Amino acid sequence: MPDLTGKVAIVTGGNVGIGKETCKQLLIKGCTVWLAARSQSKAEQAIAELKEETGKEALFLELDLSDLKAVKESAEKFKRLSPTLHMLICNAGVMAPPIEQLTAQGHDLTFGVNVLGHFLFIQKLLPLLKTTSNSLTDTRIVWVASSGQYYFNDLPVNYDNLKDTPSRTKLGVQKLYTQSKFITVMLGIYMGKILAEDQDSNVICIHLDPGNIQSDLYRRLPSLLVTIMEWLVLKPTSMGAVTQLFAATAPEASQYNGKYLRPWARLGEPHPLTKDETEQKKMWDYCMAVVKEYE
């Protein structure tokens, strides 16, 4: 990681796990870090712990990704407080919440948090990312997906599963999670194309798999299963930050606009069907229509 003095970053879900480790490493390199989280008390605790570990203090930005109105308010507040933004790291996510839980606008909670909330947050902050960039210096959107996208096989995406419908309930919480990560990759690829066509700015979008990592993401799974996973497949939390820190800060990562990275900071190939341009545009248009009234 290069020196980041003078750079500004937002890390969603920065109060725990991989997000917190990402904040820590950015702070060590001199970055101004905005820790975006829903719970102020948990965020303040994380900020205090980070200060003790690094000597640097992150800033709190309230962000509830399950409510598009709150997402809009959070982005607008940030733009009032900061004239620049160099890195937007969309790290927050949920996995396997109770099936009855929905967003404030009635979408499936996993899709709402992992996809829609971040999608609106990106759209609201994109103008600032564009004005912060210049011909010599890019700004970056890093959107955290998962290897789970490889295991989503209910294709093409059934849009009824994005709202509170019987087909969504039948799909189940694990497939709703892999669906959300499949969609994240589709949108990441499509966003990269749109950004590449904009000759007046220098913003890049990278999506990635952080790896199988010990994190708060698995808190709703049975404790015995998590223990077995930690023993067999899960890597230390610090390793989970490697790929997204590379994507956000490394000069050589500028070549990866619209690309998918796998552990650890290597170019990867996503699910082949995420590259279907017709389906990409269909999902992009759907998300744009949903968030339009909050732009």
Side-chain angles (χ1 to χ4, degrees):
M1 292 171 62
D3 178 72
L4 299 174
T5 303
K7 303 291 187 181
V8 178
I10 297 175
V11 182
T12 70
N15 58 306
V16 293
I18 298 172
K20 186 180 176 185
E21 181 67 23
T22 300
C23 290
K24 177 181 176 180
Q25 299 303 325
L26 292 172
L27 287 168
I28 288 172
K29 288 294 184 176
C31 187
T32 298
V33 178
W34 289 80
L35 189 159
R38 183 177 59 177
S39 169
Q40 183 170 349
S41 60
K42 291 180 180 179
E44 288 176 347
Q45 180 181 346
I47 288 169
E49 292 169 355
L50 288 167
K51 186 175 182 180
E52 185 174 341
E53 294 173 6
T54 69
K56 309 287 180 63
E57 188 164 1
L59 303 167
F60 171 59
L61 180 66
E62 185 174 1
L63 174 65
D64 182 354
L65 289 163
S66 69
D67 183 349
L68 295 177
K69 182 175 181 291
V71 172
K72 175 184 177 180
E73 291 170 353
S74 179
E76 291 179 345
K77 178 180 180 180
F78 178 80
K79 288 189 286 187
R80 291 193 300 268
L81 295 172
S82 178
T84 58
L85 178 61
H86 300 86
M87 293 161 272
L88 174 55
I89 303 176
C90 298
N91 161 86
V94 295
M95 178 182 183
I99 193 70
E100 65 272 11
Q101 290 189 4
L102 304 171
T103 70
Q105 286 74 34
H107 283 87
D108 169 67
L109 184 66
T110 305
F111 171 72
V113 171
N114 296 356
V115 180
L116 264 186
H118 276 129
F119 184 85
L120 175 58
F121 202 49
I122 291 168
Q123 295 302 323
K124 293 289 294 180
L125 292 172
L126 187 55
L128 185 56
L129 286 159
K130 288 182 176 181
T131 58
T132 303
S133 71
N134 56 53
S135 59
L136 298 177
T137 305
D138 60 58
T139 56
R140 303 189 185 181
I141 300 164
V142 178
W143 204 345
V144 179
S146 164
S147 60
Q149 50 96 14
Y150 293 116
Y151 304 105
F152 185 64
N153 51 19
D154 292 72
L155 296 167
V157 174
N158 179 355
Y159 284 69
D160 284 344
N161 293 336
L162 307 182
K163 299 282 282 187
D164 187 21
T165 61
S167 67
R168 167 187 164 273
T169 303
K170 183 178 179 180
L171 195 63
V173 294
Q174 292 300 331
K175 284 191 175 181
L176 288 169
Y177 174 76
T178 58
Q179 172 184 260
S180 75
K181 295 305 183 178
F182 182 93
I183 294 171
T184 295
V185 175
M186 277 205 304
L187 293 175
I189 296 171
Y190 195 78
M191 186 177 298
K193 295 174 187 175
I194 292 175
L195 293 173
E197 293 169 357
D198 187 348
Q199 301 300 313
D200 297 324
S201 63
N202 190 9
V203 184
I204 69 173
C205 176
I206 301 171
H207 47 283
L208 57 91
D209 169 20
N212 297 318
I213 303 297
Q214 297 173 13
S215 78
D216 195 51
L217 184 65
Y218 305 108
R219 64 188 180 277
R220 292 188 175 92
L221 298 183
S223 58
L224 178 59
L225 175 60
V226 174
T227 300
I228 295 171
M229 290 171 63
E230 288 178 344
W231 181 53
L232 293 176
V233 300
L234 297 184
K235 303 295 184 183
T237 304
S238 59
M239 293 186 70
V242 169
T243 306
Q244 56 203 56
L245 287 168
F246 171 81
T249 71
E252 58 267 39
S254 62
Q255 65 184 304
Y256 293 138
N257 179 48
K259 300 297 184 181
Y260 176 79
L261 299 185
R262 63 188 178 96
W264 314 102
R266 294 178 290 178
L267 187 64
E269 281 295 320
H271 193 306
L273 294 181
T274 61
K275 299 180 180 181
D276 186 315
E277 295 185 3
T278 300
E279 292 298 320
Q280 287 173 3
K281 186 176 188 307
K282 183 179 178 182
M283 180 58 67
W284 181 273
D285 290 345
Y286 175 87
C287 291
M288 288 295 287
V290 171
V291 305
K292 185 175 181 180
E293 67 178 284
Y294 303 97
E295 289 184 334

